[in-house]
Amino acid sequence: MAAEKTFRIVVGVDGSAPSLAALHWALEEARLRSGQVHIVTAWHYPVIGDAAGRGPDHEAFGENARQAHAEALRQAGGAGVPVTGGVVESHPAEALLKAAEGADLLVVGSRGHGGFAGMLLGSVSSQAVHHAHCPVLVVRAGGGEARG
């Protein structure tokens, strides 16, 4: 008899309220399905600078991502499901799509860091919805509402 496949959920976390809502949703779903959660925190260094050509501190981007990921792991600690994850230097949508290959579900927040206030669906969640090879759930912070 073949072993049952474990339900695998990939969730993107950047430290924003929508991404933490997505994390909590993913943890609860994994608990209900006896599944596992893989947390991905991705960052990339923007190719921008000020008028003098100075750009933001490259290391600060990585450090912020590592801190957000550590907090996500801390919050996931008592969920009672297996949790793995990592921090990746890559465009967030690209990193999430790669991590979600072979996953049963990809969960993202509706809008994380860098979103425009009026947008209902951020660029990362939009890319996930349009390009993932598994179901995608977009979680909005605050009301526990989801779009999929």
Side-chain angles (χ1 to χ4, degrees):
M1 183 191 274
E4 250 185 70
K5 181 182 177 265
T6 301
F7 194 83
R8 184 170 165 266
I9 301 172
V10 173
V11 60
V13 175
D14 65 5
S16 66
S19 76
L20 293 175
L23 171 64
H24 292 288
W25 193 97
L27 292 167
E28 180 62 15
E29 187 68 13
R31 188 186 65 73
L32 293 170
R33 294 180 178 260
S34 300
Q36 62 186 13
V37 172
H38 182 76
I39 302 170
V40 175
T41 304
W43 65 279
H44 66 82
Y45 186 74
V47 186
I48 58 170
D50 62 14
R54 295 180 303 249
D57 179 15
H58 182 270
E59 268 311 301
F61 281 87
E63 183 55 32
N64 288 341
R66 287 186 288 278
Q67 288 176 2
H69 191 75
E71 176 59 20
L73 289 173
R74 187 193 67 73
Q75 289 189 28
V81 298
V83 175
T84 59
V87 177
V88 181
E89 184 177 0
S90 176
H91 186 277
E94 183 179 313
L96 286 170
L97 291 170
K98 183 174 181 176
E101 290 174 4
D104 296 293
L105 180 64
L106 172 59
V107 182
V108 294
S110 63
R111 212 181 51 225
H113 294 302
F116 295 102
M119 293 178 73
L120 295 176
L121 196 64
S123 62
V124 172
S125 53
S126 180
Q127 288 289 314
V129 166
H130 288 97
H131 299 289
H133 293 284
C134 65
V136 177
L137 180 83
V138 180
V139 177
R140 293 173 37 158
E145 302 140 23
R147 306 249 191 260

